[in-house]
Amino acid sequence: MLLAPFDILGHGNIIGSGIFISPKGVLEHTGSVGLALIIWVLGGGVAALGSLCYAELGVTIPKSGGDYSYVTEIFGGLAGFLLLWSAVLIMYPTSLAVISLTFSNYVLQPVFPNCIPPYNASRILSMVCLLLLTWVNSSSVRWATRIQDIFTAGKLLALTLIIIVGFIQIFKGNYEELIPSNAFNFWMTPSVGHLALAFLQGSFAFSGWNFLNYVTEELVDPRRNLPRAIFISIPLVTFVYTFTNIAYFTAMSPQELLSSNAVAVTFGEKLLGYFSWVMPVSVALSTFGGINGYLFTSSRLCFSGAREGHLPSLLAMIHVKQCTPIPALLVCCLATLVIMLVGDTYTLINYVSFINYLCYGVTIIGLLVLRWKKPKIFRPIKVNLLVPITYLAFWAFLLVFSLYSEPVVCGVGLIIILTGVPVFFLGVYWRNKPKCVNRLIESVTCWGQKLCFVVYPQGGVAEEDEAPSAASQRPTSKTTTRK
C-alpha cells in the first residue's frame, strides 16, 4: 500500500520524543538562540540528504533489516555484525534509556517544581515504565501496536499546542529573544567542537529519518513515491522542530530554558495557567509511546540478526501462543536497564548520536562502493553523487570534532563496537566448535525455551494476535523444535 507522509510521521516516529529532550542540549552548546535555531534547520537538511541516500539503497537492495542488510551485502558479514552489535548493545538500549528517563522527568517535574527530581525516584520510575512495556510487548503484538497508535496522539497534541501558543505570543509582540540583535547575543563563544556536540544533540530528535527507507516494500511505485514522501515529510518535521523551539523562546529566556529539567512543562506553567497540566501529561504520553516503539523495533532487529545466524538462535524464537519474540525483548530490556544506571540524559544522547552517525556514514559509504563495484545494477532511484559526498563531508566533520570534544564518551562507544570483532570470529565465523561448546549452547537454548515458552517460528497460520510484520519475518528454513 502507499503510505502517506503523515502516516510515516505518526507511525514511523520521525517526529520523535527527542524534540522534548534535545532543545536544552543544543542551546547549551551553541551559546545563542539564533545559532541554536540554525542548527535545527541544518539538522533537517542533513536528514534529507541521508534519506535520499537510503532511498537508493532501499530499492537497490530490497531486503528487510535496513542498514544491517545493506552493510552485510556490500562489506560482508563482519561489518554487518559490528553494525548489528552496536545497535543491540548501544543504539537501541541507549535511546530507550534516554526516552525512559525523559518520561520520568516529565512525570515527576510537577511533583518537584522547584528542583530536579531525585535521582533514585527518576531511575525507579523509568525502570517500572520499561518493565511494564516489555511485559506488554511480550504478551501481545496487538496491544503493543494499539499503544503506539493511541500514544502518538499525545506527542502530536503537545507539539501542536506549543506551536499554536507560540504563534499567539508572537502576534502579541512577545518575541524579544528572537530579535536578531538578541538572538545572536552570545553568552559564550562556541568552538567547532561545541557545534559538533550541538548537532549530536539535535540529531537525536531527527533519528527517525531513516525509517522512510524501511517502508520501501510497502510503497506503490517507490521510484516516484519514496522521494515524494521524503520531500514532504522531512521539511515538515524541520518546520515542527524549528517552530517548537521558537515557541519556547517566546515564553522563556535562554537561561530559564537551560535551568529547566522539563522544558515543555516550564513552557506550560508560564503560558497555559490552569491548563498547564496538559503539557506534562501530553509529553508523558508521547515518551511512553516512544519507549513502546523502540522496544518493538529493537526486538525485531535482534530477531532478524538471530535468524541470519549473527546472534544466538534463542533470540530468533517466539512465544508458542502470543507469537512475540520474548527472548529478544528481554535482552533489549536488560541492556537498557544497565545503560540507564550509567550516565545522565545528555551524555547518553552524545553517546548514542555519535554511534548512530558512525553507522549512517558507513552505510552511505556502502552506496559509493556499490556504485563502483556494480555500476550496471538496476537502481530504480539514483541520487546525484553530490548528495552522498556532501553528507559524508558533514559526517566526517561531526565525528572528528565530536571525538575531540568528548573523547571518553565517543571512545567508549568505539571500544564497545570493536569488542564485536572477537565475538564475531568466536561465535559466527568459527563453525567447527568443540562438542562441549555446542552442548553448552544447546543447553542454554533449551533452558531459554522452557523459561520463555518459545519455539522457532514456522510457516503456517499465524495466531490471531500476530502482526503482519512479525509473520513476514518468520524463517521457513528451520525445523520447528519444542523442548
Coordinates of all heavy atoms in Angstrom, one line a residue, residues 87-154:
A87 N 24.1 -1.7 17.4 CA 22.6 -1.4 17.5 C 22.0 -2.1 18.7 O 21.3 -1.5 19.5 CB 21.9 -1.8 16.3
V88 N 22.4 -3.4 18.9 CA 21.8 -4.2 20.0 C 22.4 -3.7 21.4 O 21.6 -3.6 22.4 CB 22.1 -5.7 19.8 CG1 21.7 -6.5 21.0 CG2 21.3 -6.2 18.6
L89 N 23.7 -3.4 21.4 CA 24.3 -3.0 22.7 C 24.3 -1.6 23.0 O 24.4 -1.2 24.2 CB 25.7 -3.6 22.7 CG 25.9 -5.1 22.8 CD1 27.4 -5.4 23.0 CD2 25.2 -5.6 24.0
I90 N 24.2 -0.7 22.0 CA 24.4 0.7 22.2 C 23.1 1.5 21.7 O 22.5 2.2 22.5 CB 25.6 1.3 21.5 CG1 26.9 0.6 22.0 CG2 25.8 2.8 21.7 CD1 28.1 1.0 21.3
M91 N 22.9 1.5 20.4 CA 21.9 2.5 19.8 C 20.5 2.3 20.4 O 20.0 3.3 21.0 CB 21.9 2.3 18.3 CG 23.2 2.8 17.7 SD 23.1 2.9 15.9 CE 23.2 1.2 15.4
Y92 N 19.9 1.1 20.3 CA 18.6 1.0 20.8 C 18.5 1.1 22.3 O 17.6 1.8 22.9 CB 18.0 -0.3 20.3 CG 17.4 -0.2 18.9 CD1 18.0 -0.9 17.8 CD2 16.3 0.6 18.6 CE1 17.6 -0.8 16.5 CE2 15.8 0.7 17.3 CZ 16.4 0.0 16.3 OH 16.0 0.1 15.0
P93 N 19.3 0.3 23.1 CA 19.2 0.5 24.5 C 19.4 1.9 25.1 O 18.8 2.3 26.0 CB 20.3 -0.5 25.1 CG 20.5 -1.5 24.0 CD 20.3 -0.7 22.7
T94 N 20.4 2.6 24.5 CA 20.7 4.0 24.9 C 19.5 4.9 24.6 O 19.1 5.7 25.4 CB 22.0 4.5 24.3 OG1 23.0 3.6 24.6 CG2 22.3 5.9 24.9
S95 N 18.9 4.7 23.4 CA 17.8 5.5 23.0 C 16.6 5.2 24.0 O 15.9 6.2 24.4 CB 17.4 5.3 21.6 OG 18.4 5.6 20.7
L96 N 16.4 4.0 24.3 CA 15.4 3.6 25.2 C 15.6 4.2 26.6 O 14.7 4.7 27.3 CB 15.3 2.1 25.3 CG 14.4 1.3 24.3 CD1 14.7 -0.2 24.3 CD2 12.9 1.6 24.7
A97 N 16.9 4.2 27.0 CA 17.2 4.7 28.4 C 16.9 6.2 28.4 O 16.3 6.7 29.4 CB 18.7 4.5 28.7
V98 N 17.3 7.0 27.3 CA 17.1 8.4 27.3 C 15.6 8.7 27.3 O 15.2 9.6 28.1 CB 17.7 9.0 26.0 CG1 17.3 10.5 25.8 CG2 19.3 8.9 26.1
I99 N 14.8 8.0 26.5 CA 13.4 8.3 26.5 C 12.7 7.9 27.8 O 11.8 8.6 28.3 CB 12.7 7.6 25.3 CG1 13.3 8.1 24.0 CG2 11.2 7.9 25.2 CD1 12.9 7.4 22.7
S100 N 13.1 6.8 28.4 CA 12.6 6.4 29.7 C 12.9 7.4 30.8 O 12.0 7.8 31.6 CB 13.2 5.1 30.1 OG 12.8 4.1 29.2
L101 N 14.1 8.0 30.8 CA 14.5 9.0 31.8 C 13.7 10.3 31.5 O 13.3 11.0 32.5 CB 16.0 9.3 31.7 CG 16.8 8.1 32.2 CD1 18.3 8.4 31.9 CD2 16.6 7.9 33.7
T102 N 13.4 10.6 30.3 CA 12.6 11.8 30.0 C 11.2 11.6 30.4 O 10.6 12.5 31.0 CB 12.7 12.0 28.4 OG1 14.0 12.2 28.0 CG2 11.9 13.3 28.1
F103 N 10.7 10.4 30.2 CA 9.3 10.1 30.7 C 9.2 10.4 32.2 O 8.3 11.1 32.7 CB 9.0 8.6 30.4 CG 7.8 8.1 31.1 CD1 6.5 8.4 30.7 CD2 7.9 7.4 32.3 CE1 5.3 7.9 31.3 CE2 6.8 6.9 33.0 CZ 5.5 7.2 32.5
S104 N 10.2 9.8 33.0 CA 10.2 10.0 34.4 C 10.3 11.5 34.9 O 9.7 11.9 35.8 CB 11.2 9.1 35.1 OG 12.5 9.5 34.7
N105 N 11.2 12.2 34.1 CA 11.4 13.6 34.5 C 10.1 14.4 34.3 O 9.8 15.3 35.1 CB 12.5 14.2 33.6 CG 13.9 13.8 34.1 OD1 14.1 13.4 35.2 ND2 14.9 13.8 33.2
Y106 N 9.4 14.2 33.2 CA 8.2 14.9 32.9 C 7.1 14.5 33.8 O 6.2 15.4 34.2 CB 7.8 14.7 31.4 CG 8.4 15.8 30.5 CD1 9.6 15.5 29.9 CD2 7.8 17.0 30.3 CE1 10.2 16.5 29.1 CE2 8.4 17.9 29.5 CZ 9.6 17.7 28.9 OH 10.2 18.6 28.1
V107 N 7.0 13.3 34.3 CA 6.0 12.9 35.3 C 6.3 13.5 36.6 O 5.4 13.9 37.3 CB 6.0 11.3 35.3 CG1 5.1 10.9 36.5 CG2 5.4 10.8 34.0
L108 N 7.6 13.5 37.0 CA 8.0 13.9 38.4 C 8.2 15.4 38.5 O 8.1 16.0 39.6 CB 9.3 13.2 38.8 CG 9.2 11.7 39.0 CD1 10.6 11.1 39.2 CD2 8.3 11.4 40.1
Q109 N 8.4 16.2 37.4 CA 8.7 17.6 37.5 C 7.6 18.4 38.2 O 7.8 19.2 39.0 CB 8.9 18.2 36.1 CG 9.4 19.6 36.1 CD 10.8 19.7 36.8 OE1 11.7 18.9 36.6 NE2 11.0 20.8 37.6
P110 N 6.3 18.1 37.9 CA 5.2 18.8 38.6 C 5.2 18.5 40.1 O 4.8 19.3 40.9 CB 3.9 18.3 38.0 CG 4.3 17.9 36.6 CD 5.7 17.3 36.8
V111 N 5.7 17.3 40.5 CA 5.8 16.9 41.9 C 6.9 17.6 42.6 O 6.9 17.9 43.8 CB 6.0 15.4 42.0 CG1 6.0 15.0 43.5 CG2 4.8 14.7 41.3
F112 N 8.0 17.9 41.9 CA 9.2 18.6 42.4 C 9.4 19.9 41.6 O 10.4 20.0 40.8 CB 10.4 17.7 42.3 CG 10.3 16.5 43.1 CD1 9.9 15.3 42.5 CD2 10.6 16.4 44.4 CE1 9.8 14.1 43.2 CE2 10.5 15.2 45.2 CZ 10.1 14.1 44.5
P113 N 8.5 20.9 41.7 CA 8.5 22.1 40.8 C 9.8 23.0 41.0 O 10.1 23.7 40.0 CB 7.2 22.8 41.2 CG 6.9 22.4 42.6 CD 7.4 21.0 42.7
N114 N 10.4 22.9 42.1 CA 11.5 23.9 42.4 C 12.8 23.2 42.4 O 13.8 23.9 42.8 CB 11.2 24.5 43.8 CG 9.9 25.3 43.8 OD1 9.6 26.0 42.8 ND2 9.2 25.2 44.9
C115 N 12.9 22.0 42.0 CA 14.2 21.3 42.0 C 14.2 20.1 41.0 O 13.1 19.8 40.5 CB 14.6 20.8 43.4 SG 13.5 19.5 44.0
I116 N 15.4 19.6 40.7 CA 15.5 18.4 39.9 C 14.9 17.2 40.6 O 15.2 17.0 41.8 CB 16.9 18.2 39.5 CG1 17.4 19.4 38.6 CG2 17.1 16.9 38.7 CD1 18.9 19.3 38.3
P117 N 14.1 16.4 40.0 CA 13.6 15.2 40.6 C 14.7 14.3 41.2 O 15.8 14.2 40.6 CB 12.8 14.4 39.5 CG 12.4 15.5 38.6 CD 13.5 16.5 38.6
P118 N 14.5 13.7 42.4 CA 15.6 12.9 42.9 C 16.1 11.8 42.0 O 15.3 11.2 41.2 CB 14.9 12.3 44.2 CG 13.8 13.2 44.5 CD 13.3 13.8 43.2
Y119 N 17.4 11.5 42.0 CA 18.0 10.5 41.1 C 17.3 9.2 41.3 O 16.9 8.5 40.2 CB 19.4 10.4 41.5 CG 20.2 9.3 40.7 CD1 20.8 9.7 39.5 CD2 20.3 8.0 41.1 CE1 21.5 8.7 38.7 CE2 20.9 7.1 40.3 CZ 21.5 7.4 39.2 OH 22.2 6.5 38.4
N120 N 17.1 8.7 42.5 CA 16.5 7.3 42.7 C 15.1 7.3 42.2 O 14.7 6.3 41.6 CB 16.6 6.9 44.2 CG 18.0 6.7 44.6 OD1 18.9 6.3 43.8 ND2 18.3 6.8 45.9
A121 N 14.3 8.3 42.5 CA 12.9 8.3 42.1 C 12.8 8.3 40.5 O 12.0 7.6 40.0 CB 12.2 9.6 42.6
S122 N 13.7 9.1 39.9 CA 13.7 9.1 38.4 C 14.0 7.8 37.8 O 13.4 7.3 36.9 CB 14.6 10.2 37.9 OG 14.7 10.2 36.5
R123 N 15.1 7.1 38.3 CA 15.5 5.8 37.8 C 14.5 4.7 38.1 O 14.2 3.9 37.2 CB 16.8 5.4 38.5 CG 18.1 5.7 37.6 CD 18.2 7.0 37.1 NE 19.4 7.3 36.3 CZ 19.7 8.5 35.9 NH1 19.0 9.5 36.2 NH2 20.8 8.6 35.1
I124 N 13.9 4.7 39.3 CA 12.9 3.7 39.6 C 11.7 3.8 38.7 O 11.2 2.8 38.2 CB 12.5 3.8 41.1 CG1 13.7 3.3 41.9 CG2 11.3 2.9 41.4 CD1 13.5 3.6 43.4
L125 N 11.2 5.0 38.5 CA 10.0 5.2 37.6 C 10.3 4.8 36.2 O 9.5 4.2 35.5 CB 9.5 6.7 37.7 CG 8.3 7.0 36.9 CD1 7.1 6.1 37.3 CD2 7.9 8.5 37.0
S126 N 11.5 5.2 35.7 CA 12.0 4.8 34.4 C 12.0 3.3 34.2 O 11.5 2.7 33.2 CB 13.3 5.4 34.0 OG 13.3 6.8 34.2
M127 N 12.5 2.6 35.2 CA 12.6 1.1 35.1 C 11.2 0.5 35.2 O 11.0 -0.5 34.4 CB 13.5 0.6 36.3 CG 14.9 1.0 36.2 SD 15.9 0.4 37.6 CE 17.5 1.0 37.2
V128 N 10.4 1.0 36.0 CA 9.0 0.5 36.1 C 8.3 0.6 34.7 O 7.6 -0.3 34.3 CB 8.2 1.2 37.2 CG1 6.7 0.8 37.1 CG2 8.7 0.8 38.6
C129 N 8.4 1.8 34.1 CA 7.8 2.0 32.8 C 8.4 1.0 31.8 O 7.6 0.4 31.0 CB 8.1 3.5 32.4 SG 7.5 3.9 30.7
L130 N 9.7 0.9 31.7 CA 10.3 0.0 30.8 C 9.9 -1.5 31.0 O 9.6 -2.2 30.0 CB 11.9 0.1 30.9 CG 12.7 -0.8 30.0 CD1 12.5 -0.4 28.5 CD2 14.2 -0.8 30.4
L131 N 9.8 -1.9 32.2 CA 9.4 -3.3 32.5 C 8.0 -3.5 32.2 O 7.6 -4.6 31.6 CB 9.6 -3.6 34.0 CG 11.1 -3.7 34.5 CD1 11.2 -3.8 36.0 CD2 11.8 -4.9 33.8
L132 N 7.1 -2.5 32.4 CA 5.7 -2.6 32.1 C 5.5 -2.8 30.6 O 4.8 -3.7 30.1 CB 5.0 -1.4 32.5 CG 3.5 -1.3 32.1 CD1 2.7 -2.4 32.7 CD2 2.9 0.1 32.5
L133 N 6.2 -2.0 29.8 CA 6.1 -2.1 28.3 C 6.8 -3.3 27.8 O 6.3 -3.8 26.7 CB 6.7 -0.8 27.7 CG 5.8 0.4 27.8 CD1 6.5 1.7 27.3 CD2 4.4 0.2 27.1
T134 N 7.8 -3.8 28.4 CA 8.4 -5.1 28.0 C 7.4 -6.2 28.2 O 7.2 -7.1 27.3 CB 9.7 -5.4 28.8 OG1 10.6 -4.3 28.6 CG2 10.3 -6.7 28.4
W135 N 6.6 -6.2 29.3 CA 5.6 -7.2 29.5 C 4.5 -7.0 28.5 O 4.0 -8.1 28.0 CB 5.0 -7.0 30.9 CG 3.8 -7.9 31.2 CD1 3.9 -9.2 31.5 CD2 2.5 -7.5 31.2 NE1 2.6 -9.7 31.7 CE2 1.7 -8.6 31.5 CE3 1.8 -6.3 30.9 CZ2 0.3 -8.6 31.5 CZ3 0.4 -6.2 31.0 CH2 -0.3 -7.4 31.3
V136 N 4.1 -5.8 28.2 CA 3.0 -5.6 27.2 C 3.5 -6.2 25.8 O 2.7 -6.9 25.2 CB 2.7 -4.1 27.0 CG1 1.8 -3.9 25.8 CG2 2.0 -3.6 28.3
N137 N 4.7 -5.9 25.4 CA 5.2 -6.3 24.1 C 5.4 -7.9 24.1 O 5.2 -8.5 23.0 CB 6.5 -5.7 23.7 CG 6.3 -4.3 23.1 OD1 6.3 -4.1 21.9 ND2 6.2 -3.3 23.9
S138 N 5.7 -8.4 25.3 CA 5.8 -9.9 25.3 C 4.4 -10.6 25.3 O 4.3 -11.7 24.9 CB 6.6 -10.3 26.6 OG 7.8 -9.7 26.7
S139 N 3.4 -9.9 25.8 CA 2.1 -10.5 25.9 C 1.3 -10.5 24.6 O 0.6 -11.4 24.3 CB 1.3 -9.8 27.0 OG 2.0 -9.9 28.3
S140 N 1.4 -9.4 23.9 CA 0.6 -9.3 22.7 C 1.1 -8.2 21.7 O 1.4 -7.1 22.1 CB -0.8 -8.9 23.1 OG -1.6 -8.5 22.0
V141 N 1.3 -8.6 20.5 CA 1.7 -7.7 19.4 C 0.5 -6.7 19.2 O 0.8 -5.5 19.0 CB 2.0 -8.4 18.1 CG1 2.2 -7.4 17.0 CG2 3.2 -9.4 18.3
R142 N -0.7 -7.1 19.3 CA -1.8 -6.2 19.1 C -1.9 -5.1 20.1 O -2.1 -4.0 19.8 CB -3.1 -7.1 19.2 CG -4.4 -6.2 18.9 CD -5.6 -7.1 18.9 NE -5.6 -8.1 17.9 CZ -6.4 -9.1 17.8 NH1 -7.3 -9.3 18.7 NH2 -6.3 -10.0 16.8
W143 N -1.6 -5.5 21.4 CA -1.6 -4.4 22.5 C -0.5 -3.4 22.2 O -0.7 -2.2 22.3 CB -1.3 -5.1 23.8 CG -2.4 -5.9 24.4 CD1 -3.6 -6.2 23.8 CD2 -2.5 -6.6 25.6 NE1 -4.4 -7.0 24.5 CE2 -3.7 -7.3 25.7 CE3 -1.6 -6.7 26.7 CZ2 -4.0 -8.0 26.8 CZ3 -1.9 -7.5 27.8 CH2 -3.1 -8.1 27.8
A144 N 0.7 -3.9 21.8 CA 1.8 -3.0 21.5 C 1.5 -2.1 20.4 O 1.8 -0.9 20.5 CB 3.1 -3.9 21.2
T145 N 0.9 -2.5 19.3 CA 0.6 -1.6 18.2 C -0.5 -0.7 18.5 O -0.5 0.5 18.1 CB 0.2 -2.5 16.9 OG1 -0.8 -3.4 17.3 CG2 1.4 -3.3 16.4
R146 N -1.5 -1.1 19.4 CA -2.5 -0.2 19.8 C -2.0 0.9 20.7 O -2.4 2.1 20.6 CB -3.6 -0.9 20.5 CG -4.5 -1.7 19.5 CD -5.6 -2.5 20.2 NE -6.5 -3.1 19.2 CZ -7.5 -4.0 19.6 NH1 -7.8 -4.2 20.9 NH2 -8.2 -4.5 18.7
I147 N -1.1 0.6 21.6 CA -0.5 1.6 22.4 C 0.3 2.6 21.6 O 0.2 3.8 21.8 CB 0.5 0.9 23.4 CG1 -0.3 0.2 24.5 CG2 1.5 1.9 24.0 CD1 0.6 -0.5 25.5
Q148 N 1.0 2.1 20.5 CA 1.7 3.0 19.7 C 0.8 4.0 19.0 O 1.0 5.2 18.9 CB 2.5 2.2 18.6 CG 3.5 3.0 17.9 CD 4.6 3.5 18.8 OE1 4.9 2.9 19.8 NE2 5.3 4.6 18.4
D149 N -0.4 3.5 18.5 CA -1.3 4.4 17.8 C -1.9 5.4 18.7 O -2.1 6.6 18.4 CB -2.4 3.5 17.2 CG -1.9 2.7 16.0 OD1 -0.9 3.0 15.5 OD2 -2.6 1.7 15.7
I150 N -2.3 4.9 19.9 CA -3.0 5.8 20.9 C -2.1 6.9 21.4 O -2.4 8.1 21.5 CB -3.6 5.0 22.0 CG1 -4.8 4.1 21.5 CG2 -4.2 5.9 23.1 CD1 -5.3 3.1 22.5
F151 N -0.9 6.5 21.8 CA 0.0 7.4 22.5 C 0.7 8.4 21.5 O 1.3 9.4 22.0 CB 1.0 6.6 23.3 CG 0.4 6.1 24.6 CD1 -0.3 4.9 24.6 CD2 0.6 6.8 25.8 CE1 -0.8 4.5 25.8 CE2 0.0 6.4 27.0 CZ -0.7 5.2 27.0
T152 N 0.7 8.1 20.2 CA 1.2 9.0 19.3 C 0.4 10.3 19.3 O 0.9 11.4 19.1 CB 1.1 8.4 17.8 OG1 2.0 7.3 17.7 CG2 1.5 9.5 16.8
A153 N -0.9 10.2 19.7 CA -1.7 11.4 19.8 C -1.2 12.4 20.8 O -1.3 13.6 20.7 CB -3.2 11.0 20.1
G154 N -0.6 11.8 21.9 CA -0.1 12.7 23.0 C 1.1 13.6 22.4 O 1.2 14.8 22.7

